[in-house]
Structure formats: C-alpha cells, structure tokens
Amino acid sequence: MRSTRGWAAVVVMAIATLSAGCAGSTSGPAPGPASAPATAGATPAGLPSGITELGPAVPVAAQGWTLAVAPFQEAGTSSGEVPAGWAVLRTTATFTNTSDRITLLPDTALTVRYGPLGRQAVPVKDQTLSGLPAHDAATKVAPGASYTAEIGVAVPPQGLGQRVTVTAEATQEGMAEADDLFFEGTLPGSATPASGSPEPTGTTPASPGPVLPFGTWSPAGLRISPITLGPDKDGKRTATADLTVTNDGPRPRPGLGITLRVMTGAGLTDAATVTPSLDYPDAPIAPSRSATATVRFTLPSSAVPGPVTVEALDHGDRITFSGTLG
C-alpha cells in the first residue's frame, strides 16, 4: 500500500539524477495550460471528463467509499506556518463508508493546485485545521457512517478568486494501488495582481524552433520561465525558475518525471542537474490541467552576465530552452 504523503512541503527538490516511475509525455500540440472546453465528454459543470466540481460526493473507484470535497472558504488567521501576506483557506474532505462492514479509512494524500499554471497551495495545520489522519492511525468507520477532515491551505493574494483543483489519491484497505480523484471549483475572494509580467495563458503560442526562449511553450506543453538570480555569495548565485507541464490527455499524468540540465556560456558548461517533483514524485496531474514546480539551483557568479541553456529530459525527449543571465 502506498503510504500517505499527506500535506508535505510545497516542492521537494533533489539535485540528483532522474527519478524513475512517471508516465511518458503526451502527444500532440499543447500551446499552454489547457482550459477546459465544454465537450461531449465533459461533466454537466463544463469540466473535463474525470474532474468533479467541489461539493458532490463521488465513489472511490474500488467502491465501498465515497469522497466529497467542499468548496473553499476563508479561514482567517492560523497558528500554523503561513507565508507573510498569504490568505488561509479551509475545506472539508468527507469520506462515507458505503459498505456493510466496519472498514479502515482509505490512506489518502491530497494536493491543492490553483490558477492556470497549477501552482501548489501551502498546506496549513493547526488546532482547528488538523488535516487527514496519518496512514498508521488505522481510523475505523462504521457502515453508513462518515469521517470528515478539516483541511487548510494558504495561497498568495493573486491566487484568490482563481480556479482550484484538488487531487485525492485514496488507497483502500487491501488495495495496492491508489485511486485518483479530481475536484475543481473557484477559490473565494478577488485576486490581487502580482508585480512583474502576467502569467502565461492558454492562448500563448508554442514556439516552433529547435531552441525555445525561456517563457515560451514547447509543442508538447512544457515551459520553463526566465531564471531569477539571487545575490552573489562566495562566488555563487542562487537561481530559481518555474517548470510547468500541461497534461493535454484524457487521463491523469502521474507527475513531472523531468530532469533539467543547466549549462552556462557559449561552451555549454554543466552547472547543475535538478529533478523537480510536486509534493511527492508521482503526484498526478489532472486531465486537461497543468502543474508547476519551482526549481532551485546554484550557478557560478562568473557566468553572470552571459548565456544560459537548459535541456529538459522528458522520458527520452530532449527539449532545449535558452536565455541570458544578468
């Protein structure tokens, strides 16, 4: 049984070789984060097939349980660790035992992503927002009874009023694989615009060239933002960039599964190798939705100013992005 990853820290970075075990890249053009057109396969709410609106209960695939995730509400302040200026929101996850016997609560991991790029909300736990029980808690639920967990997350001001997608991986007692369920709605409040360039949208055209400028989309729906540099310290500079992957297929994509090679200068000197993951390595990406991870690495100060190249290794495919440091 897959252990509960629970509400882990936002993005786990490992400066290492590629982590195995994720699905291959999807085929066909994906010029940007997919918006969900109303099609014959869509739900009555206009969502892509496989995604349910927040509120109604849906059966877990192996049956015996239903799960309902309520629309988000403002939660005020929290005693948990919350980034300065961010809003705390709450929801509930209600599991109902529809079988005729006492059963252990499914071992469940939840991921909350918001906005067109699928940025991950920060989990919040305190006395009132206790989250889901640990996988070894062995919580029992009687036939016909329900278990409700209070879930808290924090988002930046620009995340308010945006689309929110909740991914639930529920592993039932005796099952080896988790069932993936996706719920979607809108966060409360109104977005406060962030400083800097606006976020790319689904209308952003894909670049047709063999080397892509930072900030543009590959035909397969992959994007690396321009690199942001930190101050010089001991001849090195910290660097960050956002890696976004769009799942343009009808089935969940199990995580990023992408390694980035960062090279500096005209001679393509190796500077860093990073493998980002979202909450945990196989966190699934909902159909017709995107997910973003923030990549952190270190570059030599001598490379600034100057050209930088990033090669993305995506299950055998190699996609090259380039730009300028400085």
Side-chain angles (χ1 to χ4, degrees), residues 26 30 32-34 217 220-222 244-249 253 285 288-291:
T26 54
W217 295 92
L222 188 147
T244 303
V245 176
T246 294
N247 177 14
D248 64 348
R253 172 179 173 138
I285 303 172
S288 302
R289 294 295 180 255
S290 298

Side-chain angles (χ1 to χ4, degrees), residues 3 7 25 43 51 57 62 68-69 87 91 104 111-112 137 192 218 221 238 246 248 291 300 304 308-309 318 325:
S3 64
W7 295 83
S25 59
T43 66
I51 301 180
V69 179
T91 183
L104 292 179
T111 303
V112 178
T192 301
S218 76
T238 58
T246 294
D248 64 348
V304 184
V308 62
T309 302
R318 295 174 181 263
L325 298 171

Side-chain angles (χ1 to χ4, degrees), residues 132-227:
L132 289 163
H135 74 279
D136 56 358
T139 303
K140 298 177 182 178
V141 181
S146 296
Y147 179 93
T148 298
E150 300 285 339
I151 306 298
V153 297
V155 300
Q158 60 268 27
L160 295 174
Q162 295 205 37
R163 180 176 70 200
V164 62
T165 305
V166 179
T167 301
E169 281 194 302
T171 306
Q172 299 185 68
E173 181 184 8
M175 302 297 292
E177 294 296 326
D179 296 320
D180 298 333
L181 298 94
F182 301 97
F183 304 85
E184 195 162 283
T186 303
L187 292 177
S190 299
T192 301
S195 59
S197 302
E199 299 247 277
T201 67
T203 60
T204 307
S207 175
V211 179
L212 312 177
F214 291 131
T216 59
W217 295 92
S218 76
L222 188 147
R223 173 186 179 270
I224 299 176
S225 72
I227 294 174

Side-chain angles (χ1 to χ4, degrees), residues 56-60 63-68 93-101 103-106 141-149 172:
V58 297
V60 178
Q63 303 302 318
W65 289 92
T66 61
L67 172 60
T94 301
F95 295 83
T96 300
N97 180 2
T98 59
S99 73
D100 58 359
R101 61 186 178 90
T103 309
L104 292 179
L105 189 73
V141 181
S146 296
Y147 179 93
T148 298
Q172 299 185 68

Side-chain angles (χ1 to χ4, degrees), residues 272-286:
T273 300
V274 293
T275 302
S277 60
L278 292 162
D279 192 17
Y280 43 87
D282 59 350
I285 303 172

Side-chain angles (χ1 to χ4, degrees), residues 210 259 261 263 310-321:
T259 287
R261 293 180 57 209
M263 295 162 279
V310 177
E311 182 182 59
L313 282 68
D314 182 11
H315 303 94
D317 293 334
R318 295 174 181 263
I319 307 168
T320 304
F321 295 83

